[in-house]
Amino acid sequence: TTQRYTGYLLSEALLLPLLTAALWMTARCLRHPSTRKAAVAGLLWGLALLTKPNVQFLALLAGVSAFSFQPSVASHQPNPTAIARATSHFPFLFFWLALGLTLFPWLLRNRMVAGRWMLSTAFEENLARVSAVATLAEIEGVRVEPWTETWEHYYDRLVADVRAHYGWDSRAPLQDACAEQRQRQTEVACTARDIVGAHPFSYLRAHLRGVLTSLRDPGHRLWYHVLTGQEWESTGVVADIGARMAWALERGAVGDALHALWTERVAHPPLLAALLWWGLSAARITVWWLCGRGVWRQRRTPWLWLALTGSIAYILLLPGPIAHDRFYVPAIPLVTVLIALGVGRFSK
């Protein structure tokens, strides 16, 4: 997976080592605080944010946890005074200093070019092209996959409504084409925010459904295409058997759900397709079971437990309606650590 996305020149391939190093240095600094470790952690988090800004809340949590949770201080100073407690937090000021200095040149550039202090416009773009579109489809009861014609239809409809509301065709365009584009993007994002804010439960359902759909997909469609050169649809069986079985179970048809599993994953698919689905499904279940064991074995090491599980949960939940294995690439090293902890016979 990592090699494939490196070949595609996507930012997740670079984010993977940066995020891993940032979490590793943060965990070391939480265990034994020092100004050097805190500064390096801040630098690494800054580089990770410049690579892909969607990890900004992880960086924020890392900086906040540094002040609120320091096991080494508690262990080495049974009765710390107020001065000792203040001194223990001093190294983590270097975390924020290094983070700010790393981000400042890019923030200044955006201020000079776009007229406002910002890290990225990705949030506005995702709000319009992802969150609002998924919410509109959920309101109308339409199950739509990202970037399909139906998905683009909802986005085009959103843009058409914004065009009519703000009078794009009637108002005088700005002389600066980039400024005009930024203004229109902001207007679309404001409308998208209103849609999501007016229908929060529809947004949450669409978001969680996207995450769950991605997590239960073992990757058989991708690997069938890689190995055979043909699309999964050429097998003549459904791609998402989970959705098919869920549809039957919602109607109380347990027998129909089991029959669908038998026909769509045993009787009808080609041998390679069946082996891929069952093998990858078993591998995914094994991975999560070993991760669970790793989490349980680290219950007495909260600084490591929190860093690993919190980061993995953040990475898995963040994409929402467009959840895809591409977005999970940065979590691969963290999952590997939990698997190792789940397999080994050690607790620290």
Side-chain angles (χ1 to χ4, degrees):
T1 300
T2 55
Q3 292 178 0
R4 178 159 55 92
Y5 286 116
T6 299
Y8 291 162
L9 300 181
L10 294 174
S11 58
E12 282 78 9
L14 178 59
L15 180 62
L16 184 150
L18 289 174
L19 180 61
T20 306
L23 286 168
W24 173 66
M25 186 57 67
T26 301
R28 290 189 62 197
C29 198
L30 284 172
R31 191 176 187 183
H32 298 296
S34 72
T35 56
R36 180 182 62 83
K37 293 176 185 176
V40 173
L43 170 65
L44 291 170
W45 278 112
L47 295 176
L49 287 174
L50 292 175
T51 302
K52 201 168 182 67
N54 59 5
V55 296
Q56 57 187 338
F57 297 111
L58 272 182
L60 177 63
L61 289 174
V64 171
S65 63
F67 282 89
S68 59
F69 180 71
Q70 296 182 39
S72 62
V73 174
S75 61
H76 295 306
Q77 298 180 6
N79 298 305
T81 63
I83 296 178
R85 286 195 298 268
T87 304
S88 69
H89 294 312
F90 178 75
F92 293 97
L93 295 176
F94 283 80
F95 175 94
W96 294 104
L97 179 62
L99 178 65
L101 290 176
T102 304
L103 297 179
F104 181 74
W106 181 250
L107 295 174
L108 179 61
R109 177 264 179 196
N110 290 338
R111 176 66 177 84
M112 298 176 64
V113 173
R116 58 190 174 114
W117 297 96
M118 64 176 181
L119 184 62
S120 171
T121 59
F123 173 76
E124 296 177 350
E125 184 71 13
N126 289 333
L127 183 64
R129 293 197 62 89
V130 178
S131 301
V133 171
T135 302
L136 290 172
E138 183 68 23
I139 293 171
E140 298 181 4
V142 177
R143 300 290 179 87
V144 55
E145 291 192 7
W147 321 131
T148 59
E149 291 184 4
T150 306
W151 185 280
E152 296 300 330
H153 165 74
Y154 277 104
Y155 178 69
D156 292 340
R157 196 176 75 181
L158 170 64
V159 174
D161 292 341
V162 176
R163 178 187 297 273
H165 178 75
Y166 287 95
W168 288 359
D169 298 327
S170 59
R171 72 187 184 191
L174 299 177
Q175 294 182 351
D176 187 346
C178 293
E180 176 73 18
Q181 182 180 5
R182 288 196 299 270
Q183 181 178 348
R184 293 188 175 189
Q185 183 185 43
T186 301
E187 292 168 352
V188 173
C190 289
T191 303
R193 185 181 295 108
D194 293 338
I195 293 173
V196 173
H199 306 278
F201 294 107
S202 296
Y203 163 73
L204 288 175
R205 285 195 300 269
H207 190 97
L208 293 176
R209 182 181 293 111
V211 173
L212 294 176
T213 300
S214 178
L215 291 180
R216 72 168 184 257
D217 181 4
H220 54 291
R221 287 184 286 182
L222 166 67
W223 287 108
Y224 187 78
H225 176 70
V226 170
L227 295 176
T228 67
Q230 300 178 352
E231 300 297 333
W232 178 269
E233 287 72 15
S234 65
T235 63
V237 297
V238 299
D240 191 352
I241 186 61
R244 171 65 179 84
M245 294 179 66
W247 179 87
L249 292 174
E250 288 174 357
R251 290 155 178 78
V254 179
D256 180 71
L258 295 176
H259 182 263
L261 178 63
W262 172 262
T263 56
E264 301 293 332
R265 289 298 180 267
V266 178
H268 290 171
L271 179 61
L272 177 60
L275 289 176
L276 278 175
W277 189 85
W278 287 101
L280 291 173
S281 297
R284 177 159 292 201
I285 293 173
T286 303
V287 163
W288 288 116
W289 178 71
L290 290 174
C291 283
R293 288 190 66 188
V295 170
W296 176 252
R297 290 183 171 184
Q298 290 303 305
R299 64 190 184 278
R300 296 180 180 177
T301 315
W303 55 270
L304 181 59
W305 179 90
L306 182 63
L308 291 175
T309 58
S311 300
I312 291 173
Y314 179 90
I315 294 171
L316 295 183
L317 290 173
L318 186 65
I322 57 171
H324 187 267
D325 64 343
R326 164 193 168 189
F327 300 109
Y328 301 154
V329 168
I332 290 177
L334 314 181
V335 172
T336 304
V337 170
L338 286 179
I339 291 175
L341 296 173
V343 172
R345 295 183 176 274
F346 47 86
S347 59
K348 292 185 179 181

